[in-house]
Amino acid sequence: MAATDAPQYRIDPPLERIPEMGRIPAGSAIEARLEKIWETAPGWRGWLSTVDHKTIGVRYLVTAFLFLVIGGIEALFLRIQLAGPDMAFLTPEQYNQLFTMHGVTMIFLYALPVLSGFSNYLWPLLLGSRDMAFPRLNALSYWIFLFAGLFMYISFPLGQAPNAGWFNYVPFSGPIYNTGPNIDVFALGMVLLGISTTVGSINFVVTLFRMRAPGMTINRVPILVWGTLTASVANLFAIPAVSLAFFLLWLDRQIGAHFFDVANNGQPLLWQHLFWIFGHPWVYVVVLPAMGIVSDALPTFCRRPLVGYTAVALATMATMLLGFGVWVHHMFATGLPTVALSIFGAASMVISIPSAVAVFAWIATIWLGKPVFKTPFLFFAGFVALFIIGGMSGVMTAAVPLDWQLNETYFIVAHLHYVLLGINVFPVVGAIYYWFPKFTGRMMSEKLGKWSFWTMFIGFNAGFFPMHIAGLLGMPRRIYTYPSRMGWDEVNLITTVGSFIFAVGVLIFLVNVVLSVKRGARAGANPWDAPTLEWAVSSPPPAYNFATIPTIASRHPLWEGRIEGEEEHSRTKLEEGYLLMRGRETLGTSPIDAKPVVILKMPEDSYTPFLVGLFVSLLFVGLLLHSWTFTALMAALSCAALSSWMWPRRKLGQRTTRHGPASAGRGGEGP
Amino acid sequence: MSETARVVSQPLPVGSVGKLSGGWWGMIALIVTEASLFGYLLFTYFYLAAQSGQDWPPTGLPGLLIPGINTIILLASSAAFWAGERRIQQGGTRSSIFGFIAAIALGSAFVAIQLLEWKNKTFSINSDLYGSLYFTITGFHLCHVIIGLGVLLLLLAWTMMGYFDHKRHVAITIGGVYWHFVDVVWLFVFSALYLSPYLQRG
């Protein structure tokens, strides 16, 4: 059946209808109309108002990579200072600020945002939808992330950046020992960033439960979706802990409250509890989606489906669940009762079991497949190796007596870098190589790609493996220099050389990106012959993603009929599907078995997310400057912008309908 | 791999309808994270109380009469809103307005009494640890009540403008569940700050 032109509705849209089925051939007039419905206005107006998840995803990726470069340069400064004993390249205060900003930037402004970038771009494509559940919230989440990032760097040029380490322990970060604006910038910036993370997480959770194509039952969603979903649910429970901790610290510092004030019965350990109740789940938040990336992309290069899909999906959730019960392993040396240490030590060892399930699934996938040694494969395989090393040193420090020995030494620095770079940066770079053709329509250079992998892999191991040894030799973390008689000279020099080699590898990768955007070979819709749904649409995908909403019949829609042992079938329907083109529309489905339940009206592009983001961020600037009138003004403007955002609109089916000529209700028919 | 989803032959609702709307799910997720926030606030309270090693609260047991009455007022506000929402579902848009006005009036009374309660305290947010806890926790809650009142005012205005009928009133459903959350969470705050000291003193 061909799509008939829907009547132009002068009166209100109907409250229910049977969704039309049909085909939309490429290049047809109907396709042009669909394009028109979903396209973003050109120029700065579209730039500020777009709610397209693909644009937002790319913005997240680019911004996060800029922060990665900034954080990386900070690290190189630190490594120059530590290259030899008694160096005076940096002053102690400069060193404190640089290592703090290095941690803050990498952990908060790079590690999760980069994964949100992938998930934002890919989720609707993976799930067969036209957008995320809340497109405007998606835009808001990006703007606040950007502003929070700028906010946390606001005092950097003044030489007054945060300086108490990324986990910011009191009493050093309290009002007595840290009198400048350094910590206030960090505290307020973290609360602001928390808003971005929270609304972003809500968006992912609701999208998973509402926005999957019909037939994409819960046991058919890609593992990346499981990873991001798990991380997002965790964020809903974990982010309030850190936001509260930073807010209480700000009250201590600026209002004279006594939460962490020892002289008035406050408890410094409260900070550590609140921070790590958030902090440890956060570790899994920044790795589980990356593990999901590998679980989805690695099979493409092994030419077979992932081994143990169900086990890996369950392991993802089990890791997160256990992840909420291990925070005290960051506090083994704080004098807590032995019973607590034993329980949390045991839990920390148990958590290696689900991780091992995933590792064995990846190894089995490579083992049983026919590996194709393209650049993404190298990064994913390298990731598995680094994960094993980082995981082993993690199990070692889960043992309380050994932790007492290793705590606050470079061994921990080595462990956390193996985990965070190994499980986040390597999969992320591999994922850029993998999805770059989807993002841009062009391939990245294989030759530069292999160079970048080997330089990064060798540089990384040369840089970070010796840190284990430095730690075992007793070198403490966070020292800005050391005397030469300690025997730490050689390992530190090797580490510095390795870190520069690693940086060269990242540089080669970035050069590859820049060259390939302009001059890469053209990519078709599915250059890797991959199995998942995002490869069914053109590269780059059109604004509306899917011309018709597809109907899914398996985990591997594009490999149907090719997988050994599976029944021959090819029932996933990609060409023919739901048309849904009376304005921006997509299909809402039931949470478990993805049956169509509602036709969702999606919002148009809008400036409100940008304005809300701006006003909320300025509100925090007002708090920082103690300018209460300005703060109140910004709060009022935020509320006004939010009210206009929430104003019920007939076009979105949020208001009652009237038949006959539409009354000129306020805001009802606005764009 | 099981059956392919059938082609829809029944009409589907279009747009934001009750629990099929994205907004409803989003609000539930927001409530989960907000409830966690209050959970951490109360964790902070009990942790610091347990570690303080002094009589708790140091200023003596809190009076229960006015806060108790205020608790009832807030719960009554929830009930009034619930009644208003029911009227809309039954098609009585006009009479629902009275329910919403009553909810707003009772909510405002709660805020006024709470501010009076604050004024009568002999301690402040920076006088001692208990003061910091008391004012921060009740302050967080009061902020939520004030935001909730703002939401109720908008809902009232929209209802009076005739935006809603028995078929379409998703904003009422979503705003309402937030208001009920703000009221229920007060029961936890009230139990922690006002009732638990009596239990501890035995």
mmCIF file of all heavy atoms in Angstrom, chain A residues 15-18 134 210 220 236-237 255-256 258-259 265 578 598-599 647-648 653 656, chain B residues 2 8-9 12-16 20 22 33 40 126 129 132 136 158 162-163 165 168:
data_model
loop_
_atom_site.group_PDB
_atom_site.id
_atom_site.type_symbol
_atom_site.label_atom_id
_atom_site.label_comp_id
_atom_site.label_asym_id
_atom_site.label_seq_id
_atom_site.Cartn_x
_atom_site.Cartn_y
_atom_site.Cartn_z
ATOM 1 N N LEU A 15 -7.476 12.105 18.516
ATOM 2 C CA LEU A 15 -6.857 11.552 19.713
ATOM 3 C C LEU A 15 -6.449 10.097 19.546
ATOM 4 O O LEU A 15 -5.725 9.554 20.361
ATOM 5 C CB LEU A 15 -7.810 11.682 20.898
ATOM 6 C CG LEU A 15 -8.007 13.107 21.403
ATOM 7 C CD1 LEU A 15 -8.930 13.115 22.598
ATOM 8 C CD2 LEU A 15 -6.669 13.727 21.776
ATOM 9 N N GLU A 16 -6.980 9.453 18.506
ATOM 10 C CA GLU A 16 -6.500 8.098 18.228
ATOM 11 C C GLU A 16 -6.666 7.795 16.748
ATOM 12 O O GLU A 16 -7.530 8.363 16.080
ATOM 13 C CB GLU A 16 -7.225 7.069 19.091
ATOM 14 C CG GLU A 16 -8.726 7.132 19.023
ATOM 15 C CD GLU A 16 -9.366 6.006 19.822
ATOM 16 O OE1 GLU A 16 -8.823 5.664 20.877
ATOM 17 O OE2 GLU A 16 -10.380 5.463 19.369
ATOM 18 N N ARG A 17 -5.800 6.916 16.268
ATOM 19 C CA ARG A 17 -5.939 6.505 14.877
ATOM 20 C C ARG A 17 -5.169 5.209 14.663
ATOM 21 O O ARG A 17 -4.309 4.828 15.473
ATOM 22 C CB ARG A 17 -5.443 7.588 13.926
ATOM 23 C CG ARG A 17 -3.942 7.802 13.913
ATOM 24 C CD ARG A 17 -3.562 8.787 12.807
ATOM 25 N NE ARG A 17 -2.214 8.590 12.340
ATOM 26 C CZ ARG A 17 -1.185 9.340 12.745
ATOM 27 N NH1 ARG A 17 -1.350 10.316 13.608
ATOM 28 N NH2 ARG A 17 0.021 9.107 12.258
ATOM 29 N N ILE A 18 -5.473 4.542 13.580
ATOM 30 C CA ILE A 18 -4.720 3.340 13.222
ATOM 31 C C ILE A 18 -3.479 3.799 12.474
ATOM 32 O O ILE A 18 -3.580 4.533 11.499
ATOM 33 C CB ILE A 18 -5.570 2.412 12.329
ATOM 34 C CG1 ILE A 18 -6.802 1.955 13.101
ATOM 35 C CG2 ILE A 18 -4.740 1.225 11.851
ATOM 36 C CD1 ILE A 18 -7.771 1.150 12.274
ATOM 37 N N PHE A 134 12.927 12.059 25.130
ATOM 38 C CA PHE A 134 12.788 13.484 25.442
ATOM 39 C C PHE A 134 13.834 14.281 24.676
ATOM 40 O O PHE A 134 14.906 14.577 25.215
ATOM 41 C CB PHE A 134 12.965 13.734 26.943
ATOM 42 C CG PHE A 134 12.030 12.949 27.811
ATOM 43 C CD1 PHE A 134 12.517 11.980 28.665
ATOM 44 C CD2 PHE A 134 10.668 13.190 27.784
ATOM 45 C CE1 PHE A 134 11.663 11.258 29.476
ATOM 46 C CE2 PHE A 134 9.807 12.468 28.595
ATOM 47 C CZ PHE A 134 10.299 11.501 29.437
ATOM 48 N N ARG A 210 10.328 2.789 26.286
ATOM 49 C CA ARG A 210 9.209 3.287 25.498
ATOM 50 C C ARG A 210 9.445 3.315 23.996
ATOM 51 O O ARG A 210 8.492 3.396 23.234
ATOM 52 C CB ARG A 210 8.882 4.725 25.948
ATOM 53 C CG ARG A 210 8.680 4.890 27.406
ATOM 54 C CD ARG A 210 7.391 4.275 27.869
ATOM 55 N NE ARG A 210 6.259 4.965 27.277
ATOM 56 C CZ ARG A 210 5.228 4.358 26.717
ATOM 57 N NH1 ARG A 210 5.192 3.057 26.678
ATOM 58 N NH2 ARG A 210 4.235 5.050 26.213
ATOM 59 N N ARG A 220 16.299 -8.711 22.772
ATOM 60 C CA ARG A 220 16.929 -8.468 21.473
ATOM 61 C C ARG A 220 17.692 -7.157 21.430
ATOM 62 O O ARG A 220 18.249 -6.809 20.399
ATOM 63 C CB ARG A 220 15.860 -8.444 20.365
ATOM 64 C CG ARG A 220 15.289 -9.808 20.048
ATOM 65 C CD ARG A 220 14.136 -9.701 19.073
ATOM 66 N NE ARG A 220 13.549 -11.011 18.853
ATOM 67 C CZ ARG A 220 12.323 -11.205 18.363
ATOM 68 N NH1 ARG A 220 11.576 -10.162 18.051
ATOM 69 N NH2 ARG A 220 11.868 -12.404 18.202
ATOM 70 N N LEU A 236 20.795 7.441 38.601
ATOM 71 C CA LEU A 236 19.641 7.983 39.315
ATOM 72 C C LEU A 236 19.802 7.793 40.818
ATOM 73 O O LEU A 236 19.379 8.617 41.614
ATOM 74 C CB LEU A 236 18.347 7.309 38.841
ATOM 75 C CG LEU A 236 17.953 7.553 37.394
ATOM 76 C CD1 LEU A 236 16.610 6.907 37.100
ATOM 77 C CD2 LEU A 236 17.883 9.042 37.088
ATOM 78 N N PHE A 237 20.419 6.669 41.213
ATOM 79 C CA PHE A 237 20.602 6.417 42.637
ATOM 80 C C PHE A 237 21.893 7.023 43.182
ATOM 81 O O PHE A 237 21.986 7.329 44.360
ATOM 82 C CB PHE A 237 20.602 4.907 42.908
ATOM 83 C CG PHE A 237 19.265 4.261 42.701
ATOM 84 C CD1 PHE A 237 18.980 3.561 41.552
ATOM 85 C CD2 PHE A 237 18.268 4.386 43.667
ATOM 86 C CE1 PHE A 237 17.740 2.974 41.353
ATOM 87 C CE2 PHE A 237 17.024 3.809 43.477
ATOM 88 C CZ PHE A 237 16.759 3.102 42.321
ATOM 89 N N ILE A 255 28.377 29.161 54.294
ATOM 90 C CA ILE A 255 27.315 29.559 55.213
ATOM 91 C C ILE A 255 27.750 29.300 56.650
ATOM 92 O O ILE A 255 27.120 29.764 57.592
ATOM 93 C CB ILE A 255 25.994 28.793 54.913
ATOM 94 C CG1 ILE A 255 25.690 28.818 53.420
ATOM 95 C CG2 ILE A 255 24.817 29.316 55.714
ATOM 96 C CD1 ILE A 255 25.231 30.149 52.863
ATOM 97 N N GLY A 256 28.834 28.551 56.816
ATOM 98 C CA GLY A 256 29.295 28.250 58.160
ATOM 99 C C GLY A 256 28.597 27.068 58.799
ATOM 100 O O GLY A 256 28.487 26.986 60.021
ATOM 101 N N HIS A 258 28.274 22.902 59.709
ATOM 102 C CA HIS A 258 29.283 22.129 60.446
ATOM 103 C C HIS A 258 29.328 20.650 60.090
ATOM 104 O O HIS A 258 29.744 19.833 60.896
ATOM 105 C CB HIS A 258 29.011 22.262 61.951
ATOM 106 C CG HIS A 258 29.001 23.667 62.421
ATOM 107 N ND1 HIS A 258 30.139 24.429 62.524
ATOM 108 C CD2 HIS A 258 27.975 24.469 62.781
ATOM 109 C CE1 HIS A 258 29.824 25.643 62.941
ATOM 110 N NE2 HIS A 258 28.502 25.701 63.107
ATOM 111 N N PHE A 259 28.913 20.295 58.869
ATOM 112 C CA PHE A 259 28.813 18.875 58.530
ATOM 113 C C PHE A 259 30.148 18.139 58.640
ATOM 114 O O PHE A 259 30.221 17.015 59.081
ATOM 115 C CB PHE A 259 28.251 18.710 57.119
ATOM 116 C CG PHE A 259 26.858 19.215 56.988
ATOM 117 C CD1 PHE A 259 26.586 20.426 56.363
ATOM 118 C CD2 PHE A 259 25.808 18.497 57.537
ATOM 119 C CE1 PHE A 259 25.298 20.898 56.264
ATOM 120 C CE2 PHE A 259 24.513 18.967 57.442
ATOM 121 C CZ PHE A 259 24.253 20.166 56.812
ATOM 122 N N ASN A 265 31.760 18.526 66.123
ATOM 123 C CA ASN A 265 31.136 17.214 65.997
ATOM 124 C C ASN A 265 30.851 16.792 64.556
ATOM 125 O O ASN A 265 30.200 15.766 64.339
ATOM 126 C CB ASN A 265 29.823 17.133 66.784
ATOM 127 C CG ASN A 265 30.080 16.618 68.182
ATOM 128 O OD1 ASN A 265 30.933 15.760 68.362
ATOM 129 N ND2 ASN A 265 29.370 17.168 69.149
ATOM 130 N N TYR A 578 5.665 1.316 9.666
ATOM 131 C CA TYR A 578 4.740 2.390 10.042
ATOM 132 C C TYR A 578 5.227 3.707 9.452
ATOM 133 O O TYR A 578 6.400 4.051 9.558
ATOM 134 C CB TYR A 578 4.640 2.485 11.553
ATOM 135 C CG TYR A 578 4.057 1.242 12.153
ATOM 136 C CD1 TYR A 578 4.868 0.247 12.695
ATOM 137 C CD2 TYR A 578 2.685 1.038 12.144
ATOM 138 C CE1 TYR A 578 4.336 -0.913 13.226
ATOM 139 C CE2 TYR A 578 2.130 -0.122 12.665
ATOM 140 C CZ TYR A 578 2.969 -1.092 13.207
ATOM 141 O OH TYR A 578 2.433 -2.235 13.714
ATOM 142 N N VAL A 598 1.225 3.244 21.435
ATOM 143 C CA VAL A 598 0.842 4.652 21.325
ATOM 144 C C VAL A 598 1.622 5.296 20.181
ATOM 145 O O VAL A 598 2.732 4.857 19.854
ATOM 146 C CB VAL A 598 1.097 5.388 22.667
ATOM 147 C CG1 VAL A 598 2.562 5.350 23.042
ATOM 148 C CG2 VAL A 598 0.610 6.823 22.640
ATOM 149 N N ILE A 599 0.999 6.277 19.532
ATOM 150 C CA ILE A 599 1.720 7.085 18.550
ATOM 151 C C ILE A 599 2.214 8.312 19.283
ATOM 152 O O ILE A 599 1.417 9.094 19.803
ATOM 153 C CB ILE A 599 0.808 7.476 17.385
ATOM 154 C CG1 ILE A 599 0.370 6.216 16.626
ATOM 155 C CG2 ILE A 599 1.514 8.456 16.450
ATOM 156 C CD1 ILE A 599 -0.722 6.473 15.622
ATOM 157 N N TRP A 647 4.395 24.054 28.968
ATOM 158 C CA TRP A 647 3.052 24.499 28.593
ATOM 159 C C TRP A 647 2.366 23.451 27.714
ATOM 160 O O TRP A 647 2.922 23.084 26.678
ATOM 161 C CB TRP A 647 3.151 25.836 27.854
ATOM 162 C CG TRP A 647 1.931 26.656 28.047
ATOM 163 C CD1 TRP A 647 0.807 26.619 27.282
ATOM 164 C CD2 TRP A 647 1.702 27.612 29.078
ATOM 165 N NE1 TRP A 647 -0.112 27.491 27.785
ATOM 166 C CE2 TRP A 647 0.406 28.115 28.885
ATOM 167 C CE3 TRP A 647 2.461 28.074 30.159
ATOM 168 C CZ2 TRP A 647 -0.158 29.071 29.727
ATOM 169 C CZ3 TRP A 647 1.914 29.021 30.998
ATOM 170 C CH2 TRP A 647 0.619 29.526 30.770
ATOM 171 N N PRO A 648 1.201 22.940 28.111
ATOM 172 C CA PRO A 648 0.581 21.856 27.338
ATOM 173 C C PRO A 648 0.240 22.322 25.931
ATOM 174 O O PRO A 648 -0.291 23.420 25.746
ATOM 175 C CB PRO A 648 -0.698 21.541 28.122
ATOM 176 C CG PRO A 648 -0.500 22.116 29.459
ATOM 177 C CD PRO A 648 0.392 23.308 29.271
ATOM 178 N N GLY A 653 -0.686 16.679 21.616
ATOM 179 C CA GLY A 653 -1.724 15.860 22.227
ATOM 180 C C GLY A 653 -1.752 15.964 23.740
ATOM 181 O O GLY A 653 -2.162 15.041 24.429
ATOM 182 N N THR A 656 -6.811 19.082 25.642
ATOM 183 C CA THR A 656 -8.064 18.623 25.091
ATOM 184 C C THR A 656 -8.219 19.175 23.673
ATOM 185 O O THR A 656 -7.595 20.166 23.306
ATOM 186 C CB THR A 656 -9.219 19.098 25.975
ATOM 187 O OG1 THR A 656 -10.422 18.722 25.347
ATOM 188 C CG2 THR A 656 -9.198 20.596 26.148
ATOM 189 N N SER B 2 11.309 -15.353 18.768
ATOM 190 C CA SER B 2 9.874 -15.611 18.777
ATOM 191 C C SER B 2 9.165 -14.849 17.660
ATOM 192 O O SER B 2 9.778 -14.378 16.713
ATOM 193 C CB SER B 2 9.306 -15.225 20.139
ATOM 194 O OG SER B 2 9.562 -13.860 20.376
ATOM 195 N N VAL B 8 -0.604 -3.491 13.557
ATOM 196 C CA VAL B 8 -1.668 -2.922 14.377
ATOM 197 C C VAL B 8 -2.927 -2.721 13.540
ATOM 198 O O VAL B 8 -2.877 -2.139 12.471
ATOM 199 C CB VAL B 8 -1.221 -1.572 14.954
ATOM 200 C CG1 VAL B 8 -2.362 -0.904 15.691
ATOM 201 C CG2 VAL B 8 -0.042 -1.763 15.873
ATOM 202 N N SER B 9 -4.032 -3.238 14.051
ATOM 203 C CA SER B 9 -5.285 -2.994 13.340
ATOM 204 C C SER B 9 -6.280 -2.231 14.210
ATOM 205 O O SER B 9 -7.304 -1.782 13.724
ATOM 206 C CB SER B 9 -5.890 -4.316 12.883
ATOM 207 O OG SER B 9 -5.945 -5.189 13.984
ATOM 208 N N LEU B 12 -4.564 3.365 17.804
ATOM 209 C CA LEU B 12 -3.680 3.651 18.938
ATOM 210 C C LEU B 12 -3.910 5.087 19.378
ATOM 211 O O LEU B 12 -4.189 5.956 18.555
ATOM 212 C CB LEU B 12 -2.218 3.497 18.534
ATOM 213 C CG LEU B 12 -1.722 2.121 18.118
ATOM 214 C CD1 LEU B 12 -0.240 2.198 17.782
ATOM 215 C CD2 LEU B 12 -1.962 1.115 19.224
ATOM 216 N N PRO B 13 -3.788 5.338 20.687
ATOM 217 C CA PRO B 13 -3.874 6.736 21.131
ATOM 218 C C PRO B 13 -2.737 7.558 20.520
ATOM 219 O O PRO B 13 -1.643 7.037 20.292
ATOM 220 C CB PRO B 13 -3.745 6.648 22.650
ATOM 221 C CG PRO B 13 -3.361 5.262 22.962
ATOM 222 C CD PRO B 13 -3.568 4.403 21.774
ATOM 223 N N VAL B 14 -3.020 8.822 20.270
ATOM 224 C CA VAL B 14 -2.020 9.715 19.697
ATOM 225 C C VAL B 14 -1.612 10.743 20.752
ATOM 226 O O VAL B 14 -2.479 11.381 21.340
ATOM 227 C CB VAL B 14 -2.582 10.448 18.462
ATOM 228 C CG1 VAL B 14 -1.547 11.403 17.886
ATOM 229 C CG2 VAL B 14 -3.023 9.451 17.407
ATOM 230 N N GLY B 15 -0.299 10.889 20.968
ATOM 231 C CA GLY B 15 0.193 11.938 21.854
ATOM 232 C C GLY B 15 0.254 11.500 23.305
ATOM 233 O O GLY B 15 0.330 10.317 23.611
ATOM 234 N N SER B 16 0.203 12.474 24.209
ATOM 235 C CA SER B 16 0.466 12.219 25.626
ATOM 236 C C SER B 16 -0.797 11.770 26.344
ATOM 237 O O SER B 16 -1.657 12.577 26.638
ATOM 238 C CB SER B 16 0.992 13.488 26.288
ATOM 239 O OG SER B 16 2.161 13.902 25.651
ATOM 240 N N LEU B 20 0.775 6.205 29.360
ATOM 241 C CA LEU B 20 1.455 5.908 28.099
ATOM 242 C C LEU B 20 2.364 7.054 27.688
ATOM 243 O O LEU B 20 3.150 6.921 26.763
ATOM 244 C CB LEU B 20 0.436 5.662 26.983
ATOM 245 C CG LEU B 20 -0.388 4.385 27.086
ATOM 246 C CD1 LEU B 20 -1.393 4.331 25.959
ATOM 247 C CD2 LEU B 20 0.519 3.166 27.056
ATOM 248 N N GLY B 22 5.421 9.754 27.721
ATOM 249 C CA GLY B 22 6.802 9.748 28.172
ATOM 250 C C GLY B 22 6.948 10.513 29.471
ATOM 251 O O GLY B 22 7.717 10.125 30.350
ATOM 252 N N THR B 33 15.161 9.453 41.692
ATOM 253 C CA THR B 33 16.427 10.119 42.020
ATOM 254 C C THR B 33 16.241 11.114 43.163
ATOM 255 O O THR B 33 17.098 11.253 44.038
ATOM 256 C CB THR B 33 17.061 10.738 40.749
ATOM 257 O OG1 THR B 33 18.399 11.077 41.021
ATOM 258 C CG2 THR B 33 16.325 11.944 40.255
ATOM 259 N N TYR B 40 19.802 10.042 51.134
ATOM 260 C CA TYR B 40 21.161 10.423 51.544
ATOM 261 C C TYR B 40 21.139 11.508 52.616
ATOM 262 O O TYR B 40 21.982 11.530 53.506
ATOM 263 C CB TYR B 40 21.979 10.871 50.330
ATOM 264 C CG TYR B 40 22.270 9.747 49.376
ATOM 265 C CD1 TYR B 40 21.846 9.786 48.059
ATOM 266 C CD2 TYR B 40 22.967 8.616 49.802
ATOM 267 C CE1 TYR B 40 22.095 8.747 47.185
ATOM 268 C CE2 TYR B 40 23.213 7.567 48.929
ATOM 269 C CZ TYR B 40 22.780 7.636 47.627
ATOM 270 O OH TYR B 40 23.030 6.592 46.775
ATOM 271 N N ASN B 126 24.120 27.768 61.164
ATOM 272 C CA ASN B 126 25.557 27.758 61.453
ATOM 273 C C ASN B 126 25.880 27.832 62.937
ATOM 274 O O ASN B 126 27.010 28.082 63.314
ATOM 275 C CB ASN B 126 26.270 28.868 60.681
ATOM 276 C CG ASN B 126 25.598 30.201 60.864
ATOM 277 O OD1 ASN B 126 24.762 30.347 61.768
ATOM 278 N ND2 ASN B 126 25.937 31.170 60.027
ATOM 279 N N LEU B 129 26.061 21.669 64.863
ATOM 280 C CA LEU B 129 25.855 20.592 63.896
ATOM 281 C C LEU B 129 24.372 20.272 63.736
ATOM 282 O O LEU B 129 23.872 20.104 62.621
ATOM 283 C CB LEU B 129 26.618 19.341 64.342
ATOM 284 C CG LEU B 129 26.467 18.128 63.428
ATOM 285 C CD1 LEU B 129 27.057 18.396 62.056
ATOM 286 C CD2 LEU B 129 27.136 16.898 64.042
ATOM 287 N N SER B 132 22.717 22.793 61.581
ATOM 288 C CA SER B 132 23.044 22.593 60.169
ATOM 289 C C SER B 132 22.163 21.506 59.570
ATOM 290 O O SER B 132 21.614 21.656 58.475
ATOM 291 C CB SER B 132 24.508 22.185 60.014
ATOM 292 O OG SER B 132 25.356 23.172 60.527
ATOM 293 N N THR B 136 19.120 22.330 56.949
ATOM 294 C CA THR B 136 19.391 21.844 55.590
ATOM 295 C C THR B 136 18.319 20.851 55.144
ATOM 296 O O THR B 136 17.796 20.934 54.028
ATOM 297 C CB THR B 136 20.777 21.184 55.529
ATOM 298 O OG1 THR B 136 21.737 22.126 55.990
ATOM 299 C CG2 THR B 136 21.118 20.766 54.109
ATOM 300 N N TRP B 158 -3.954 26.248 33.969
ATOM 301 C CA TRP B 158 -4.265 25.523 32.733
ATOM 302 C C TRP B 158 -5.673 24.929 32.789
ATOM 303 O O TRP B 158 -6.386 24.903 31.791
ATOM 304 C CB TRP B 158 -3.228 24.415 32.500
ATOM 305 C CG TRP B 158 -1.850 24.951 32.207
ATOM 306 C CD1 TRP B 158 -1.540 26.179 31.698
ATOM 307 C CD2 TRP B 158 -0.598 24.281 32.406
ATOM 308 N NE1 TRP B 158 -0.178 26.313 31.570
ATOM 309 C CE2 TRP B 158 0.427 25.161 31.994
ATOM 310 C CE3 TRP B 158 -0.234 23.030 32.899
ATOM 311 C CZ2 TRP B 158 1.783 24.820 32.055
ATOM 312 C CZ3 TRP B 158 1.111 22.692 32.955
ATOM 313 C CH2 TRP B 158 2.106 23.581 32.534
ATOM 314 N N GLY B 162 -9.236 25.881 30.509
ATOM 315 C CA GLY B 162 -9.970 24.878 29.738
ATOM 316 C C GLY B 162 -9.087 23.962 28.905
ATOM 317 O O GLY B 162 -9.507 23.443 27.882
ATOM 318 N N TYR B 163 -7.853 23.779 29.336
ATOM 319 C CA TYR B 163 -6.941 22.928 28.562
ATOM 320 C C TYR B 163 -7.260 21.447 28.714
ATOM 321 O O TYR B 163 -6.867 20.647 27.887
ATOM 322 C CB TYR B 163 -5.501 23.149 29.029
ATOM 323 C CG TYR B 163 -4.847 24.398 28.489
ATOM 324 C CD1 TYR B 163 -5.580 25.395 27.859
ATOM 325 C CD2 TYR B 163 -3.470 24.572 28.617
ATOM 326 C CE1 TYR B 163 -4.964 26.528 27.379
ATOM 327 C CE2 TYR B 163 -2.849 25.703 28.135
ATOM 328 C CZ TYR B 163 -3.593 26.684 27.516
ATOM 329 O OH TYR B 163 -2.983 27.794 27.052
ATOM 330 N N ASP B 165 -9.679 17.951 29.781
ATOM 331 C CA ASP B 165 -10.980 17.321 29.968
ATOM 332 C C ASP B 165 -10.732 15.875 30.416
ATOM 333 O O ASP B 165 -9.592 15.510 30.727
ATOM 334 C CB ASP B 165 -11.817 17.399 28.685
ATOM 335 C CG ASP B 165 -11.157 16.650 27.541
ATOM 336 O OD1 ASP B 165 -10.153 15.938 27.781
ATOM 337 O OD2 ASP B 165 -11.627 16.767 26.405
ATOM 338 N N ARG B 168 -7.936 14.181 28.055
ATOM 339 C CA ARG B 168 -6.571 14.694 28.026
ATOM 340 C C ARG B 168 -6.299 15.552 29.252
ATOM 341 O O ARG B 168 -6.840 16.649 29.381
ATOM 342 C CB ARG B 168 -6.342 15.542 26.760
ATOM 343 C CG ARG B 168 -6.207 14.733 25.491
ATOM 344 C CD ARG B 168 -4.952 13.910 25.464
ATOM 345 N NE ARG B 168 -5.183 12.660 24.756
ATOM 346 C CZ ARG B 168 -4.525 12.258 23.681
ATOM 347 N NH1 ARG B 168 -3.575 12.998 23.183
ATOM 348 N NH2 ARG B 168 -4.787 11.105 23.135
#
